[in-house]
Amino acid sequence: MELAIHNWMRSETIETTIRRVAALGYTKLEIAGNPEQYDTKSIRKLMQDHGLSCWGSVTLMLGDRNLLARDEAQRAKSVQYVKDVIKMVKELDGHMVSVVPGTVGKIVPDGRPDEEWGWAVGAMKEIYDYSEAAGILIGIEPINRFETYFINRADQALALAQAVGPNCGVCLDTFHMNIEEADMFAAIRRAKGKLIGFHVADNNRMAPGMGNLNWPKIVDTLREINYNEVLSVEFCAPLDRTPANPYPDSIDKNPENLSAEQEQFLVDHGSASVTEEFYTMLTTESFNTLSKLI
């Protein structure tokens, strides 16, 4: 297995992130789903110069992005966004895209369950056809009930993937599984043969090793189902705004390169842009915990 890391957890240029994580020992990058922000040719070269390669990306389903919207034009716009993310990954010689079908933070459905299922399947099939032609794998990612009412568990993601196409898979995330699954390890086993990506954060969404998840058992279970690909670090550290904060000065008061979209995502997840020192500690802790297991 190899270790990847996302680049949206701290507000800094992607060049800064690439230099940092390469120096720490990561070999893959899972780039944020903001294709309009990146010059793929220069980023690909920069990654190569630092011994990194692109593993994939994850869709940022914010604002009006929603593959199960009632409005047909909204669905079409959302489909195009996911296609743009796939195109970016293709240009970066990446492997996969993790797709969250519904808007993150949306709690009111647009229609009946059967209607929304039909809209989601239709949108995903169009995306799937595009991804197949591009040679990029897509995986449905379940996220917890406090971020979406749609696709919270592995079984739901597997059902949607089955309805979409034979090569459509799932991407699981330890933080979300810890909330939603009755048995995280059984959920991983049920995804055998369909797991195309795996996101890692501890139960408190801190770096792996800073909570109570059983990382040796998680990695052993992945090996049991013959998943020998990439673990993508995706912590989103909840920041303590009280005098009990064990990490003082962890909030970056003058963030660099922070888009409104990224800021909203971080705020919605109980976080904010973090300082370089705090982020370096989190990325280092993640690497130290996982590298000895893979």
Side-chain angles (χ1 to χ4, degrees), residues 145 153-155 176-187 190:
R145 74 192 73 178
R153 305 187 316 278
D155 287 345
H176 298 296
M177 284 195 290
N178 182 65
I179 295 172
E180 296 295 344
E181 301 291 352
D183 184 333
M184 175 190 301
F185 307 103
R190 289 195 297 275

Side-chain angles (χ1 to χ4, degrees), residues 3 32 34 54 66 70 88 95-96 99 105 115 118 120 129 134-135 142 168 190 192 203 208-209 245 257 264 270 281:
L3 292 182
N34 291 319
C54 178
N66 187 8
R70 175 177 292 278
M88 172 184 68
H95 179 75
M96 55 77 71
V99 181
E115 289 180 309
D129 289 343
C168 184
R190 289 195 297 275
K192 182 177 182 179
N203 67 293
N245 185 3
N257 201 46
Q264 187 61 52
M281 182 274 290

Side-chain angles (χ1 to χ4, degrees), residues 3 46 79 91 107 126 149 164 175 184 218 256 264 287:
L3 292 182
L46 186 65
V79 166
E91 291 175 353
I107 59 173
E126 183 177 346
Y149 61 88
V164 171
F175 171 76
M184 175 190 301
I218 289 169
E256 175 189 16
Q264 187 61 52
F287 184 86

Side-chain angles (χ1 to χ4, degrees), residues 101 117 120-121 124 140 150-151 155-164 168:
W117 185 258
V121 170
M124 283 300 306
I140 312 297
F150 189 77
I151 310 295
D155 287 345
Q156 296 169 321
L158 287 165
L160 182 54
Q162 183 177 19
V164 171
C168 184

Side-chain angles (χ1 to χ4, degrees), residues 96-270:
M96 55 77 71
V97 172
S98 171
V99 181
V100 175
T103 306
V104 176
K106 188 176 189 299
I107 59 173
V108 179
D110 276 11
R112 300 186 311 272
D114 61 312
E115 289 180 309
E116 289 195 307
W117 185 258
W119 296 328
V121 170
M124 283 300 306
K125 281 186 173 181
E126 183 177 346
I127 291 165
Y128 176 78
D129 289 343
Y130 183 85
S131 69
E132 286 287 283
I136 300 296
L137 292 175
I138 57 171
I140 312 297
E141 182 174 1
I143 62 176
N144 73 78
R145 74 192 73 178
F146 306 109
E147 298 184 48
T148 184
Y149 61 88
F150 189 77
I151 310 295
N152 307 123
R153 305 187 316 278
D155 287 345
Q156 296 169 321
L158 287 165
L160 182 54
Q162 183 177 19
V164 171
N167 291 326
C168 184
V170 299
C171 178
L172 300 181
D173 184 306
T174 54
F175 171 76
H176 298 296
M177 284 195 290
N178 182 65
I179 295 172
E180 296 295 344
E181 301 291 352
D183 184 333
M184 175 190 301
F185 307 103
I188 293 172
R189 292 185 185 104
R190 289 195 297 275
K192 182 177 182 179
K194 301 296 287 185
L195 189 63
I196 63 105
F198 197 78
H199 294 162
V200 290
D202 226 308
N203 67 293
N204 52 5
R205 219 166 195 176
M206 297 288 277
M210 298 180 71
N212 63 20
L213 292 186
N214 187 337
W215 292 103
K217 186 173 181 180
I218 289 169
V219 173
D220 285 346
T221 306
L222 290 170
R223 286 201 177 96
E224 180 185 325
I225 67 166
N226 298 317
Y227 180 82
N228 297 302
E229 299 291 340
V230 169
L231 306 182
S232 290
V233 173
E234 194 189 23
F235 55 74
C236 189
L239 296 180
D240 191 335
R241 301 175 188 275
T242 75
N245 185 3
Y247 305 105
D249 302 319
S250 54
I251 300 176
D252 190 346
K253 297 177 183 177
N254 297 293
E256 175 189 16
N257 201 46
L258 181 64
S259 68
E261 188 174 68
Q262 184 182 19
E263 182 179 23
Q264 187 61 52
F265 187 89
L266 291 171
V267 168
D268 287 348
H269 288 72

